[in-house]
Amino acid sequence: MKKIISLASALALVFSLTACGNNSSDPNSSNKNPSNSNQTSGESITINVGHFGSEATAVQEGCLAMKDYLETNSNGAITVNVYPNNSMGSDDELCQMVQSGNIQMTLANSIIVNYIPNAVIHDLFYNFDNIDDVKAKFMEDEDFLSTMREVYAKEGFYLAGYSVHGFRATTANKPIYAPEDLKGLTFRVMQNDFHIKGWQSMGATPTPFNFSELYTALQQGTVDAQENPVETIYSAKLYEQQKYITKTNHLQQTQQWVVNLDFYNSLSEEHKALFDEAVKIGCNTATNSALAKEAEWSQEIEDFGCTFVDLTDEQRQVFRDAAQPEREAIKAAVDPAVWDTYTA
């Protein structure tokens, strides 16, 4: 019932924004009537963007950079409203709202697999050796981007781009140098069958539960370890309850900039080109900000007294070999074209 009320409230917010004059017509009209002719450069367009991040996050910086570019270069034809902090709904609700056309855009995380089964490819452990390889795949590899856009389009989404936010790391009260070090550890993971399988394969005892309960669980010793990107470890102060952060780098952290497909298709060619360039700027801004801030966050964490542990390529390969069952499970779950372009 809470979810229904939350979604209804979010929808009411969107409709009230429209009534207040942010757009000269219903912002969802192009989605409800996809057969309408493309918008011309003289029409007023409103893009409502909802996302999970706070005002201080890299994703917010990226969204504001996109907003600035679109509003400045469209001669006033395009207005972008950015709603951070899940103020329009939960991650899942935001994806629902974009798919149905009730808002135009969101930045999606792993919840997108509820709508795009092939998106589980993003959960493949140990596919990248370094962050430059991650950026090359998600931001430059046109074969991969084209393949994924086709997959997303089948479910009513336009995949506008990706931003890259670093690797996920493992925290515990001891350093983790090898899979053997995970044995006996109760390990908090998100509710994701592939993540659970991966950590089981590497020797941990994965325990999925809500992130909101994690700090207290670490404090009380209900769980011994967990994994998250440095940004989250810092913002949630998880380092206060863990002595070591091991850079397992088992999984990259990216955000998917997804748009309602009918809305995107309703844009004129001129506005499509403008929008695509704006998203590119937004993704680059978010990526650069996240990676630059990671160094600052890491220093603050170290100053607090938490120790970072680097792994050698050889040590990381041992983890990769142990996680092979997870890799095989994902290979079986996705289309061959998705697997081939992602792992190439």
Side-chain angles (χ1 to χ4, degrees):
M1 179 63 71
K2 286 183 177 180
K3 187 172 183 179
I4 294 173
I5 293 172
S6 177
L7 183 56
S9 299
L11 291 173
L13 174 59
V14 175
F15 297 143
S16 66
L17 287 169
T18 304
C20 289
N22 284 330
N23 194 359
S24 59
S25 60
D26 184 344
N28 304 315
S29 60
S30 63
N31 304 305
K32 295 175 181 177
N33 300 287
S35 60
N36 287 352
S37 60
N38 285 358
Q39 299 175 17
T40 65
S41 58
E43 291 182 290
S44 177
I45 302 165
T46 296
I47 301 174
N48 292 315
V49 185
H51 69 81
F52 67 93
S54 72
E55 289 85 350
T57 56
V59 293
Q60 176 73 353
E61 287 187 41
C63 287
L64 293 180
M66 178 188 72
K67 168 185 170 71
D68 181 67
Y69 183 86
L70 278 172
E71 293 183 346
T72 300
N73 292 279
S74 67
N75 296 317
I78 299 177
T79 299
V80 180
N81 301 314
V82 181
Y83 301 98
N85 292 308
N86 285 129
S87 58
M88 298 188 77
S90 68
D91 293 349
D92 189 35
E93 290 166 344
L94 289 171
C95 289
Q96 289 181 41
M97 294 166 74
V98 170
Q99 187 180 48
S100 64
N102 289 313
I103 63 173
Q104 289 70 42
M105 185 175 180
T106 190
L107 275 68
N109 50 32
S110 59
I111 199 72
I112 199 70
V113 300
N114 292 341
Y115 307 87
I116 315 289
N118 275 290
V120 299
I121 194 65
H122 303 135
D123 292 318
L124 183 67
F125 279 20
Y126 292 104
N127 194 54
F128 301 100
D129 294 326
N130 55 68
I131 203 64
D132 287 336
D133 289 345
V134 178
K135 291 167 66 176
K137 177 62 65 176
F138 284 93
M139 303 178 76
E140 301 171 14
D141 188 333
E142 291 301 328
D143 287 340
F144 170 68
L145 291 170
S146 176
T147 297
M148 296 307 289
R149 282 180 177 135
E150 290 179 10
V151 168
Y152 279 58
K154 292 177 182 178
E155 305 302 331
F157 295 98
Y158 172 62
L159 177 60
Y162 292 93
S163 53
V164 175
H165 298 254
F167 281 112
R168 299 177 76 92
T170 300
T171 73
N173 285 320
K174 66 176 185 177
I176 307 296
Y177 293 111
E180 289 75 19
D181 296 324
L182 292 167
K183 291 181 179 179
L185 293 184
T186 303
F187 198 103
R188 184 269 174 185
V189 297
M190 66 178 67
Q191 184 60 60
N192 180 304
D193 290 344
F194 293 104
H195 287 208
I196 292 171
K197 189 175 188 66
W199 287 107
Q200 282 177 334
S201 300
M202 292 190 292
T205 302
T207 303
F209 61 84
N210 290 336
F211 178 79
S212 61
E213 303 170 6
L214 180 54
Y215 185 93
T216 301
L218 292 171
Q219 186 178 52
Q220 297 177 347
T222 306
V223 295
D224 304 308
Q226 65 89 41
E227 59 83 44
N228 260 300
V230 172
E231 179 177 12
T232 303
I233 294 168
Y234 173 79
S235 63
K237 300 184 181 300
L238 302 181
Y239 60 88
E240 294 181 348
Q241 302 302 328
Q242 303 271 262
K243 295 179 181 179
Y244 294 92
I245 300 174
T246 302
K247 295 182 179 180
T248 44
N249 292 6
H250 53 283
L251 199 62
Q252 71 291 334
Q253 182 75 9
T254 63
Q255 296 299 328
Q256 304 155 59
W257 296 51
V258 293
V259 182
N260 177 269
L261 182 63
D262 289 338
F263 167 77
Y264 180 77
N265 286 338
S266 75
L267 298 175
S268 66
E269 292 304 312
E270 175 188 350
H271 282 153
K272 280 182 182 177
L274 197 64
F275 179 81
D276 287 340
E277 181 62 22
V279 171
K280 183 177 180 180
I281 290 170
C283 288
N284 285 332
T285 299
T287 297
N288 293 337
S289 174
L291 297 181
K293 285 182 176 179
E294 184 170 312
E296 299 174 14
W297 298 323
S298 297
Q299 186 59 57
E300 288 191 42
I301 290 170
E302 286 186 321
D303 291 344
F304 181 83
C306 190
T307 301
F308 280 88
V309 178
D310 288 304
L311 299 180
T312 66
D313 292 341
E314 291 76 15
Q315 288 172 323
R316 197 168 285 115
Q317 183 62 45
V318 175
F319 282 101
R320 188 181 191 278
D321 292 341
Q324 193 60 28
E326 190 259 4
R327 293 173 58 81
E328 293 296 331
I330 287 184
K331 183 177 182 179
V334 300
D335 292 342
V338 171
W339 175 269
D340 289 344
T341 59
Y342 189 67
T343 59

